[in-house]
Amino acid sequence: MSRPTRRRALRGAAALAVGGGALAALPRTTASAASAAAHEQDGPAPFDEVYLGRRIQGRSGGGHHHHGAGYTVLVDGVELHVMRNADGSWISVVSHYDPVPSPRAAARAAVEELRGAPLVPFN
Amino acid sequence: MTVRKNQSALTAEEKRRFVAALLELKRSGRYDTFVTTHNAFILGDTDTGERVGHRSPSFLPWHRRFLLEFERALQSVDATVALPYWDWSVDRTPRAALWAPDFLGGTGRSVDGRVMDGAFAASTGNWPISVRVDTRTYLRRSLGGGGRPLPTPAEVDSVLAMATYDMPPWNSGSDGFRNHLEGWRGVNLHNRVHVWVGGQMATGVSPNDPVFWLHHAYIDKLWADWRRRHPGSGYLPVAGTRDVVDLDERMKPWNDSTPAELLDHTRHYTFDTA
């Protein structure tokens, strides 16, 4: 079995990311749109894309835990525990000591770290 | 009295006993309770809420207490064992004896990060990764894989020179010694070492890799070094701080000791250096 090199995988990911923009426009009801607008004043935008063959999604609110992040990230539908730092950077439980600028970057870092492995739901 | 030695100075017999005690804690199930506790605090400690084990002033006394608990567990298996420490500013390459097959084993293979040698390689059957955040059950590492080198002695020295223990807002945004040592700010010491090792060490379940204890034993030694260098500087904050462990407040999950009671490590162990 041959696996893509990291360089090749990342090049592919960049191409995917360009096409991923359309996926980010999710349908919303009027009420949730207003809620999202309110969140965007102090939180990052939602996203929904395929990165290195994994579906990653992020949205304001919800989350299994409410640790002040107020933001939920999913990898193939399983929640990835993320956290926002005081300086606005983000980390996740699979890349805990290496802050990145956004929850989308945290989701992408998680996908790279997972190398195809499914997340285990936390509780 | 327990003496914590530099891992590079251990005899073959000391390494053998340390590894055997780790494997016995793992076999009995006690090892994984430490991984579970650590991950619970990693998930629970936040910059804007209650914070005890990480990103807060009690990062250092909490880990001192956590390591004491672990060292006592090791000593219940073999009373001669003490936690060694890894001075990563000196033993800074994957060729260090720390990573030899007779001690912790080396880096992971490139295809999946799997550690292939040493007592903790999955193929031994003795080191299943049970407390995990993804489905992989084998120990992984990517020593130096992130590209950023381990901290240098000069970088360590620049952090030891900081005279104030910690500062408001007492979290990952703080200035002062604790947060620079932890690594959320500045040259980045502790956090960077987790990232350099990679694999489970870069995650919330980092104690799955036995090097966790050697890394934190050195962080703990740096706290002791800092105290000797700044005898007039104490633990902060002293009292009345919301969501933060003050000097005389008890720490979860043990609820039996305070930062004040943990400041003097010589009540529990000494180091091989003066």
Side-chain angles (χ1 to χ4, degrees):
Chain A
M1 183 177 91
S2 77
R3 293 185 64 113
T5 64
R6 180 183 166 86
R7 183 188 302 270
R8 188 178 303 158
L10 292 175
R11 202 186 304 133
L16 277 171
V18 172
L23 288 172
L26 297 172
R28 291 181 187 138
T29 65
T30 307
S32 70
S35 165
H39 271 101
E40 277 164 13
Q41 290 173 0
D42 58 355
F47 63 89
D48 187 340
E49 67 181 30
V50 174
Y51 180 71
L52 299 181
R54 312 288 296 271
R55 186 177 185 189
I56 57 174
Q57 298 163 276
R59 55 175 179 255
S60 296
H64 197 93
H65 286 209
H66 302 273
H67 289 151
Y71 198 90
T72 304
V73 171
L74 306 171
V75 177
D76 290 338
V78 180
E79 186 175 353
L80 170 70
H81 187 281
V82 296
M83 189 180 290
R84 184 178 200 166
N85 294 323
D87 66 357
S89 62
W90 292 74
I91 54 172
S92 82
V93 73
V94 304
S95 185
H96 182 80
Y97 303 94
D98 197 9
V100 292
S102 67
R104 187 200 300 247
R108 289 177 171 182
V111 166
E112 291 169 21
E113 150 63 25
L114 288 166
R115 301 201 203 189
L119 282 174
V120 172
F122 62 93
N123 48 37
Chain B
M1 179 54 124
T2 299
V3 179
R4 293 190 180 173
K5 295 184 181 176
N6 189 315
Q7 58 79 25
S8 69
L10 295 186
T11 65
E13 176 69 1
E14 286 169 331
K15 290 180 190 179
R16 192 191 63 74
R17 285 176 169 271
F18 178 64
V19 168
L22 286 166
L23 293 176
E24 172 54 22
L25 284 188
K26 184 70 166 179
R27 190 201 60 76
S28 69
R30 295 169 74 190
Y31 191 95
D32 285 341
T33 66
F34 288 90
V35 187
T36 299
T37 296
H38 187 265
N39 194 43
F41 279 82
I42 280 279
L43 295 177
D45 296 323
T46 64
D47 278 336
T48 52
E50 186 181 35
R51 47 199 185 274
V52 179
H54 307 86
R55 58 180 68 237
S56 61
S58 48
F59 168 70
L60 290 170
W62 190 92
H63 281 84
R64 177 166 285 175
R65 181 75 173 78
F66 190 54
L67 263 63
L68 273 170
E69 198 82 7
F70 185 73
E71 188 170 52
R72 287 169 188 149
L74 288 172
Q75 291 173 343
S76 75
V77 173
D78 181 342
T80 70
V81 170
L83 282 181
Y85 61 86
W86 169 34
D87 179 351
W88 24 253
S89 75
V90 171
D91 294 305
R92 47 188 298 108
T93 79
R95 292 175 297 284
L98 173 67
W99 307 110
D102 70 339
F103 202 6
L104 299 190
T107 193
R109 64 182 181 185
S110 60
V111 63
D112 59 4
R114 187 187 307 240
V115 170
M116 301 300 288
D117 65 353
F120 310 99
S123 56
T124 64
N126 293 327
W127 203 257
I129 303 301
S130 308
V131 182
R132 54 186 190 261
V133 295
D134 62 67
T135 56
R136 293 170 289 181
T137 57
Y138 48 89
L139 181 65
R140 292 177 292 111
R141 291 184 190 130
S142 178
L143 303 181
R148 193 173 177 193
L150 288 166
T152 64
E155 286 171 329
V156 171
D157 213 52
S158 73
V159 173
L160 288 177
M162 297 176 176
T164 304
Y165 178 75
D166 207 345
M167 299 187 197
W170 319 110
N171 63 17
S172 75
S174 290
D175 201 352
F177 169 69
R178 186 275 311 168
N179 197 38
H180 280 81
L181 178 60
E182 190 171 358
W184 301 112
R185 184 163 177 162
V187 298
N188 185 355
L189 301 183
H190 154 270
N191 282 356
R192 201 206 309 185
V193 175
H194 277 274
V195 175
W196 186 88
V197 175
Q200 281 90 2
M201 259 294 270
T203 75
V205 292
S206 46
N208 272 308
D209 191 327
V211 80
F212 174 92
W213 310 104
L214 285 77
H215 173 35
H216 270 279
Y218 186 57
I219 293 294
D220 183 81
K221 181 177 183 297
L222 290 177
W223 185 25
D225 292 346
W226 177 86
R227 289 191 72 232
R228 208 169 46 242
R229 189 146 151 183
H230 303 279
S233 299
Y235 178 94
L236 296 170
V238 172
T241 317
R242 193 177 148 212
D243 292 329
V244 170
V245 181
D246 296 314
L247 179 64
D248 293 312
E249 282 184 330
R250 291 180 180 180
M251 289 186 297
K252 295 177 182 176
W254 310 285
N255 297 312
D256 64 357
S257 51
T258 65
E261 292 163 353
L262 286 159
L263 296 179
D264 179 13
H265 69 279
T266 64
R267 295 168 53 185
H268 306 285
Y269 53 88
T270 56
F271 293 103
D272 53 357
T273 56

